[in-house]
């Protein structure tokens, strides 16, 4: 076995009220010896028993527990990054169930491919209620549920490395590469999705190569409340809100109205018209996507106002 050391990081906001215990139990069952890895868990301003629950695992896991009072996943992970000791930094979430060989597979994969700096494992859905509705076949599983169920290992596009199973060599992060704290989950408001993608895209721009490690598997919990057309369509607004932050060069230039480029207004109006025309019709893939795009464009407009200045688009 390679002598690479691993640091596993996640933040949790009110995780004790949800699936945190299941995540921790799956980490207890890891095949990689505990002297080869550490867990840094950040209680991110929870108002439930998250901190107390984490403390009950102090004698079961090689865990360091931090508290971040400022709300926001990205800031919480940055706090953890300042404490890592491992050669490999593994980012995950507090609602996954890791396969027992998860960390061992990550170490083996990184050792076998030393020229790669970023690794992404498989993320498969763990449904609270198995979806029977046909619309589940229409949705973008990656951006909606962070599902990447590619069973083939090999080089991959950096945009296909997703949050709950993201691995980066610590040398690439150094002391300065950190999450943007203006992107990522915040309680109680719309936020820009894509904090994990943004940091990987930045590393790729600096030359880091990405590799898919299909043997490293986590199961991502998907509550039944998230498997509805309405929830998924409104999720598109968060995705749209984050796109200008991730890809500011793709925002159209030219004349702006209320801070938004004219071509974006035109595209928004087209999708709003389609959504309105199809809304009262029977459910269909075309109807679903028209409404999804309506919400996406609403978020995209807000994201342009937030993240892209007028001068950047000229």
């Amino acid at each position: 076995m390679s002598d690479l050391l691993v640091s596993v990081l996640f933040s949790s906001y009110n995780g004790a009220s949800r699936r945190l215990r299941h995540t921790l139990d799956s980490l207890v069952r890891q095949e990689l010896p505990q002297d080869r890895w550490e867990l840094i868990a950040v209680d991110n301003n929870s108002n439930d028993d998250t901190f107390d629950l984490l403390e009950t695992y102090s004698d079961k896991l090689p865990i360091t527990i931090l508290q971040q009072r400022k709300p926001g996943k990205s800031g919480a992970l940055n706090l953890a990054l300042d404490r890592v000791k491992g050669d490999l930094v593994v980012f995950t979430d507090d609602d996954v169930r890791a396969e027992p060989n998860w960390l061992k597979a990550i170490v083996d994969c990184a050792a076998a491919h030393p020229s790669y700096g970023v690794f992404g494992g498989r993320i498969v859905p763990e449904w609270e209620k198995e979806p029977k509705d046909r619309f589940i076949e229409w949705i973008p599983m990656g951006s909606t549920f962070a599902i990447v169920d590619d069973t083939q290992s090999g080089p991959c596009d950096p945009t296909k490395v997703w949050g709950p199973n993201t691995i980066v060599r610590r040398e690439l992060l150094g002391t300065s590469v950190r999450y943007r704290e203006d992107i990522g989950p915040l309680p109680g408001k719309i936020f820009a999705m894509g904090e994990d993608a943004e940091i990987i895209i930045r590393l790729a721009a600096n030359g880091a190569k990405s590799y898919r490690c299909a043997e490293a598997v986590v199961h991502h919990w998907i509550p039944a409340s998230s498997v509805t057309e309405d929830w998924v369509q409104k999720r598109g607004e968060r995705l749209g809100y984050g796109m200008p932050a991730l890809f500011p060069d793709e925002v159209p230039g030219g004349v702006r109205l209320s801070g938004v480029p004219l071509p974006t207004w035109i595209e928004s109006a087209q999708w709003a018209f389609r959504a309105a025309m199809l809304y009262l019709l029977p459910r269909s893939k075309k109807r679903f996507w028209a409404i999804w795009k309506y919400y996406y464009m609403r978020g995209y407009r807000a994201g342009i106002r937030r993240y892209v200045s007028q001068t950047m688009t000229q």
Side-chain angles (χ1 to χ4, degrees), residues 7-42:
S7 294
V8 180
L9 277 57
F10 70 74
S11 72
S12 183
Y13 169 69
N14 288 349
S17 305
R18 296 179 290 110
R19 300 288 295 181
L20 177 56
R21 185 180 298 277
H22 297 269
T23 299
L24 295 169
D25 286 342
S26 74
L27 293 177
V28 170
R29 293 190 289 268
Q30 288 301 297
E31 296 171 0
L32 189 69
Q34 290 195 359
D35 62 351
R36 308 305 303 161
W37 65 282
E38 65 171 348
L39 171 63
I40 304 179
V42 186

Side-chain angles (χ1 to χ4, degrees), residues 84-187:
V84 296
K85 301 174 183 176
D87 305 295
L88 302 173
V89 180
V90 179
F91 300 98
T92 191
D93 287 341
D94 66 346
D95 58 355
V96 303
R97 177 174 58 83
E99 290 286 342
N101 71 332
W102 178 52
L103 293 181
K104 183 178 183 301
I106 287 171
V107 169
D108 291 345
C109 189
H113 304 283
S115 64
Y116 289 85
V118 174
F119 301 86
R122 279 180 69 199
I123 307 168
V124 299
E126 184 161 291
W127 308 101
E128 180 180 23
K129 183 179 180 181
E130 187 73 24
K132 305 296 184 183
D133 207 314
R134 62 185 178 180
F135 97 93
I136 203 71
E137 301 173 1
W138 306 338
I139 69 174
M141 294 294 285
S143 59
T144 303
F145 297 128
I147 301 303
V148 183
D149 198 7
D150 190 338
T151 59
Q152 297 297 314
S153 294
C156 69
D157 189 285
T159 61
K160 301 303 180 183
V161 177
W162 292 87
N165 205 351
T166 297
I167 303 98
V168 180
R169 294 190 191 274
R170 181 162 65 100
E171 63 196 51
L172 297 181
L173 299 169
T175 59
S176 60
V177 179
R178 295 293 185 266
Y179 281 90
R180 280 180 55 176
E181 297 188 15
D182 60 340
I183 306 175
L186 288 168

Side-chain angles (χ1 to χ4, degrees), residues 22-298:
H22 297 269
T23 299
L24 295 169
D25 286 342
S26 74
L27 293 177
V28 170
R29 293 190 289 268
Q30 288 301 297
E31 296 171 0
L32 189 69
Q34 290 195 359
D35 62 351
R36 308 305 303 161
W37 65 282
E38 65 171 348
L39 171 63
I40 304 179
V42 186
D43 172 15
N44 186 203
N45 198 42
S46 299
N47 52 34
D48 67 355
D49 296 327
T50 291
F51 185 81
D52 294 337
L53 176 58
L54 290 170
E55 281 200 318
T56 66
Y57 282 79
S58 295
D59 60 347
K60 304 173 189 176
L61 288 168
I63 188 172
T64 298
I65 306 167
L66 305 177
Q67 287 186 294
Q68 169 64 283
R69 293 301 183 189
K70 179 182 177 182
K73 174 185 173 182
S74 295
L77 289 176
N78 284 340
L79 179 68
L81 277 171
D82 290 337
R83 299 284 296 271
V84 296
K85 301 174 183 176
D87 305 295
L88 302 173
V89 180
V90 179
F91 300 98
T92 191
D93 287 341
D94 66 346
D95 58 355
V96 303
R97 177 174 58 83
E99 290 286 342
N101 71 332
W102 178 52
L103 293 181
K104 183 178 183 301
I106 287 171
V107 169
D108 291 345
C109 189
H113 304 283
S115 64
Y116 289 85
V118 174
F119 301 86
R122 279 180 69 199
I123 307 168
V124 299
E126 184 161 291
W127 308 101
E128 180 180 23
K129 183 179 180 181
E130 187 73 24
K132 305 296 184 183
D133 207 314
R134 62 185 178 180
F135 97 93
I136 203 71
E137 301 173 1
W138 306 338
I139 69 174
M141 294 294 285
S143 59
T144 303
F145 297 128
I147 301 303
V148 183
D149 198 7
D150 190 338
T151 59
Q152 297 297 314
S153 294
C156 69
D157 189 285
T159 61
K160 301 303 180 183
V161 177
W162 292 87
N165 205 351
T166 297
I167 303 98
V168 180
R169 294 190 191 274
R170 181 162 65 100
E171 63 196 51
L172 297 181
L173 299 169
T175 59
S176 60
V177 179
R178 295 293 185 266
Y179 281 90
R180 280 180 55 176
E181 297 188 15
D182 60 340
I183 306 175
L186 288 168
K189 64 174 72 174
I190 185 173
F191 59 83
M193 293 172 57
E195 73 285 352
D196 304 295
E198 191 279 332
I199 198 170
I200 298 303
I201 291 169
R202 213 178 336 142
L203 291 171
N206 290 331
K209 297 190 298 180
S210 300
Y211 192 92
R212 166 75 59 226
C213 181
E215 297 77 19
V217 181
V218 299
H219 302 256
H220 195 203
W221 175 254
I222 302 174
S225 59
S226 299
V227 190
T228 68
E229 286 195 41
D230 183 65
W231 189 95
V232 173
Q233 287 161 341
K234 291 179 180 178
R235 178 83 164 176
E237 186 171 5
R238 291 180 180 175
L239 179 64
Y241 189 62
M243 294 305 283
L246 270 64
F247 305 107
D249 294 342
E250 296 182 8
V251 174
V255 176
R256 286 193 179 195
L257 299 175
S258 299
V260 176
L262 184 58
T264 301
W265 276 118
I266 294 173
E267 185 178 1
S268 297
Q270 290 171 338
W271 283 111
F273 177 76
R274 293 180 196 176
M277 292 295 293
L278 294 169
Y279 183 76
L280 295 177
L281 296 181
R283 299 171 69 201
S284 67
K285 185 175 182 179
K286 183 181 293 186
R287 177 186 181 276
F288 170 84
W289 272 105
I291 298 172
W292 189 94
K293 284 290 290 189
Y294 163 75
Y295 281 108
Y296 175 90
M297 293 305 299
R298 187 164 79 173

